[in-house]
Amino acid sequence: MDEPGAEWGTAEGRAMIRLLWDPPTPPARGPRQRLTLDQVVTGAIEVAAAHGVDELSMRKVAQHLGVGAMSLYTYVPGKDELFELMIDRAWAGRAVPDRSLPWRAQVEFHAREAWAMYRANPWLIHSNLWRMPMGPHVLDAQEDLYRAVLLTGLPEGTVGRIAGLVESHVFGAARSAVTDTSMSARTGVTPDDYWESRSSFWGTYYSLERFPAMTRIWQNGGFDEEFTDDAWEFGLQLLLDGVERLVTAPDATAPPPDGTADDTARPGDGTAPTRADGDPPAGSGA
Amino acid sequence: MDEPGAEWGTAEGRAMIRLLWDPPTPPARGPRQRLTLDQVVTGAIEVAAAHGVDELSMRKVAQHLGVGAMSLYTYVPGKDELFELMIDRAWAGRAVPDRSLPWRAQVEFHAREAWAMYRANPWLIHSNLWRMPMGPHVLDAQEDLYRAVLLTGLPEGTVGRIAGLVESHVFGAARSAVTDTSMSARTGVTPDDYWESRSSFWGTYYSLERFPAMTRIWQNGGFDEEFTDDAWEFGLQLLLDGVERLVTAPDATAPPPDGTADDTARPGDGTAPTRADGDPPAGSGA
DNA sequence: AGCGGATACAGTACACCGTACGGAGAGAAT
DNA sequence: ATTCTCTCCGTACGGTGTACTGTATCCGCT
């Protein structure tokens, strides 16, 4: 369960890419397949949505689909690959922003779509264990974000970083919110157990002298709406304000990383990729 | 392995808190313990550091320590609790900033300490599966960050959000960097396999018309130093620039969440906590 | 029509996981 | 010396991902 078809150069990596981009049509030689790859992915997502990602196992998915456990392996090389397909499927449902909008509105649109996606598919927050799969839907969404940020006119290196920043922020906020709601939903505690917990920890170990800052923030309600559904927008706006400042005042504190001097002059767009030392990571892990 | 002693009100939660804050002195009734709790935690960290967090199992830790697997359970209630102790241990080694410095320098110091911690303990990035443990070292570091951000004079609600933002950003950047380096280190590929991978994916499915923005960024080197050791500082500076703007111009775009009107006037600091509907989450999940 | 062969399905099995249980032995308190 | 508590750990149980193998199925060919 660790970093599956991550190396795109390996045979497994290429098989994964092929699975993501053109799933094989079932060959017409043996007995007909009882399921489709889409059904398997859908079933896995249903299991993860219903019982949580911890309960996601090949046996449970197979049982949910009414087949034997090993039958899944005719559709999918393994659990990791199945999970990558699930991730790409989740990214498939995202709307595209109106491209006539200014860059900021488009980025906000992208961020809100991502937020909605994470809230609708909480099991997605486990995808950080993997590198983002190079699936078509993931890449389409990323492309939309990159295009929006490119509209700022900032140097390409800065654009890449800003896109990663936005992606990472939404992911982090969603992670906090999801673990928070899932935990308070798992057991219907709040009123009484909180009191008991206070007598256990807050009364025993928590010291006002040791933690004055946290105490002050807490007393003034600073932790109250930290995980409400729109609290993350604060961070997004702060981020985008910073970007806007970068656009209008290019001599800001944050230095443009590449823009000025580099090894060789690179050609503009339109030409085929010719660089030798790397490939676009695209998912950028967030 | 899901959300261990998360509810502070439960018996397990209280046991976890006690384990974190004052580990029990070994009772002098039966045979003497062969190990100490510290040794167990250290051994677990060594296993995770040497073989990766995926290889971290109770049997492996026990074998590393030269004891039977079940013996660990006399020191620790389970694997989840052991992992929480590992996390708190990792946070223990952090330096405190010079409190005479301005808030921005202190926040930067905190962020760089966090970055170094994540780089030194890559297994920490899996801690997002849990809520941050309420350990003393975690809380001490959080307190330092909160105090630094409080120096801005911003309303408490904003302070909490900014602290979470900084924490989340460092975590996200470290996650990207760690998965990146661990993946390229796991197999000594780069030159040839990259070429083959390009012929597999970049030549077959990647279309310049479908992904013009990513192509442009890639061609101009925008993805090159995305995961180098100081690329994350760009995001930090962008963030702190936004905070600074919030300090100097309180009518910025991002609205202060609480500061102005609320249910009741809260007392200042110095008094005991008297709120009834919650407790400081402190870790805030990042 | 009949057959050969490729293929889907699934049963069994293996290694590994976290950990519940219970027994054996150690060592302090009585 | 006895008793009682506690550590250590062997065994075992239910779970996981999946390799292997056998069997039933169905298409394409002759």
Side-chain angles (χ1 to χ4, degrees):
Chain A
M1 197 86 174
D2 48 342
E3 325 248 345
E7 320 293 346
W8 313 316
T10 64
E12 304 87 15
R14 263 178 281 121
M16 185 70 236
I17 292 292
R18 203 173 305 119
L19 205 55
L20 280 164
W21 286 80
D22 52 16
T25 75
R29 197 56 194 278
R32 214 175 290 112
Q33 284 188 293
R34 193 173 300 178
L35 268 42
T36 65
L37 180 59
D38 268 356
Q39 282 177 309
V40 171
V41 176
T42 303
I45 291 181
E46 286 169 356
V47 170
H51 310 301
V53 75
D54 297 317
E55 299 290 329
L56 181 72
S57 72
M58 298 300 271
R59 285 173 173 86
K60 294 224 177 69
V61 173
Q63 188 182 0
H64 178 67
L65 291 170
V67 298
M70 293 313 293
S71 303
L72 297 181
Y73 287 87
T74 58
Y75 300 89
V76 151
K79 192 190 182 183
D80 293 336
E81 288 82 358
L82 176 55
F83 199 78
E84 294 210 26
L85 291 171
M86 291 167 63
I87 296 174
D88 194 65
R89 168 73 64 83
W91 284 69
R94 300 176 54 150
V96 297
D98 181 358
R99 294 195 188 171
S100 65
L101 291 174
W103 67 265
R104 181 160 182 155
Q106 287 195 47
V107 172
E108 288 175 355
F109 185 90
H110 177 95
R112 293 191 187 110
E113 282 289 313
W115 174 264
M117 178 186 70
Y118 287 126
R119 294 315 303 252
N121 306 89
W123 50 269
L124 266 179
I125 64 167
H126 282 253
S127 63
N128 61 334
L129 303 186
W130 287 267
R131 163 167 293 217
M132 193 74 48
M134 301 273 304
H137 302 111
V138 172
L139 257 59
D140 279 341
Q142 297 280 328
E143 168 74 15
D144 277 335
L145 175 61
Y146 284 126
R147 175 176 30 231
V149 182
L150 270 177
L151 294 179
T152 58
L154 292 168
E156 281 80 3
T158 311
V159 167
R161 290 175 172 188
I162 289 170
L165 225 52
V166 170
E167 211 74 64
S168 178
H169 166 62
V170 177
F171 186 92
R175 172 168 43 82
S176 298
V178 163
T179 62
D180 198 63
T181 61
S182 82
M183 185 159 55
S184 64
R186 193 187 309 266
T187 55
V189 293
T190 3
D192 282 351
D193 279 349
Y194 265 15
W195 211 97
E196 185 179 1
S197 69
R198 185 175 313 167
S199 69
S200 144
F201 171 72
W202 305 108
T204 311
Y205 301 114
Y206 189 88
S207 130
L208 295 178
E209 300 83 34
R210 186 168 178 175
F211 306 113
M214 281 171 42
T215 304
R216 176 174 153 199
I217 294 174
W218 166 46
Q219 286 180 333
N220 289 71
F223 293 122
D224 282 2
E225 52 169 319
E226 190 162 9
F227 299 136
T228 60
D229 245 32
D230 59 343
W232 69 278
E233 288 255 8
F234 168 81
L236 180 65
Q237 298 305 327
L238 194 73
L239 231 59
L240 296 185
D241 283 349
V243 175
E244 203 142 2
R245 192 145 155 277
L246 230 59
V247 173
T248 58
D251 57 340
T253 310
D258 273 331
T260 52
D262 212 354
D263 42 357
T264 55
R266 305 180 192 276
D269 41 300
T271 57
T274 49
R275 306 189 66 248
D277 59 322
D279 290 303
S284 69
Chain B
M1 192 88 177
D2 47 342
E3 326 246 348
E7 319 293 345
W8 313 317
T10 65
E12 304 86 16
R14 263 177 281 123
M16 184 71 235
I17 292 291
R18 203 173 306 119
L19 204 56
L20 280 163
W21 285 80
D22 53 14
T25 75
R29 195 57 192 277
R32 216 176 290 113
Q33 284 189 294
R34 193 172 301 178
L35 269 43
T36 66
L37 180 59
D38 268 355
Q39 281 177 310
V40 171
V41 176
T42 304
I45 290 181
E46 286 169 355
V47 170
H51 309 301
V53 75
D54 297 317
E55 300 290 328
L56 181 72
S57 71
M58 299 299 270
R59 285 173 173 87
K60 294 221 176 70
V61 173
Q63 188 182 1
H64 178 67
L65 291 170
V67 298
M70 292 313 293
S71 303
L72 298 181
Y73 287 86
T74 59
Y75 301 88
V76 150
K79 192 189 183 184
D80 293 336
E81 288 82 359
L82 175 56
F83 198 78
E84 294 210 27
L85 290 171
M86 291 167 63
I87 295 174
D88 195 62
R89 168 74 62 83
W91 285 69
R94 301 176 53 151
V96 297
D98 181 357
R99 294 195 188 172
S100 64
L101 292 173
W103 67 264
R104 180 160 184 153
Q106 287 195 49
V107 172
E108 288 175 355
F109 185 91
H110 176 95
R112 293 191 187 109
E113 283 289 312
W115 174 264
M117 178 186 70
Y118 287 125
R119 293 314 304 251
N121 305 89
W123 49 269
L124 266 179
I125 64 167
H126 282 252
S127 63
N128 61 335
L129 303 185
W130 288 266
R131 162 168 292 218
M132 193 72 50
M134 301 275 303
H137 303 111
V138 171
L139 257 58
D140 279 341
Q142 297 280 329
E143 169 73 14
D144 276 335
L145 175 60
Y146 284 126
R147 175 176 29 232
V149 182
L150 270 178
L151 294 178
T152 58
L154 291 169
E156 282 80 3
T158 310
V159 167
R161 290 175 171 188
I162 288 169
L165 227 52
V166 170
E167 210 75 64
S168 178
H169 166 62
V170 177
F171 186 93
R175 172 167 44 82
S176 298
V178 162
T179 63
D180 199 62
T181 61
S182 81
M183 184 160 54
S184 64
R186 192 187 309 266
T187 56
V189 292
T190 3
D192 283 351
D193 278 350
Y194 266 13
W195 212 97
E196 186 179 0
S197 69
R198 186 174 312 167
S199 69
S200 142
F201 171 72
W202 305 108
T204 311
Y205 302 113
Y206 189 87
S207 133
L208 296 179
E209 300 83 32
R210 186 169 177 175
F211 306 113
M214 281 171 40
T215 304
R216 178 174 152 200
I217 294 174
W218 167 46
Q219 286 179 334
N220 289 70
F223 293 122
D224 283 2
E225 51 169 321
E226 190 161 9
F227 298 136
T228 61
D229 248 31
D230 59 342
W232 69 279
E233 288 255 9
F234 168 81
L236 180 64
Q237 298 304 328
L238 194 71
L239 231 58
L240 297 186
D241 283 349
V243 175
E244 203 140 5
R245 192 144 156 279
L246 231 58
V247 173
T248 58
D251 56 340
T253 310
D258 274 331
T260 51
D262 212 356
D263 42 356
T264 54
R266 306 180 191 278
D269 41 300
T271 58
T274 48
R275 307 190 66 250
D277 58 323
D279 290 304
S284 68

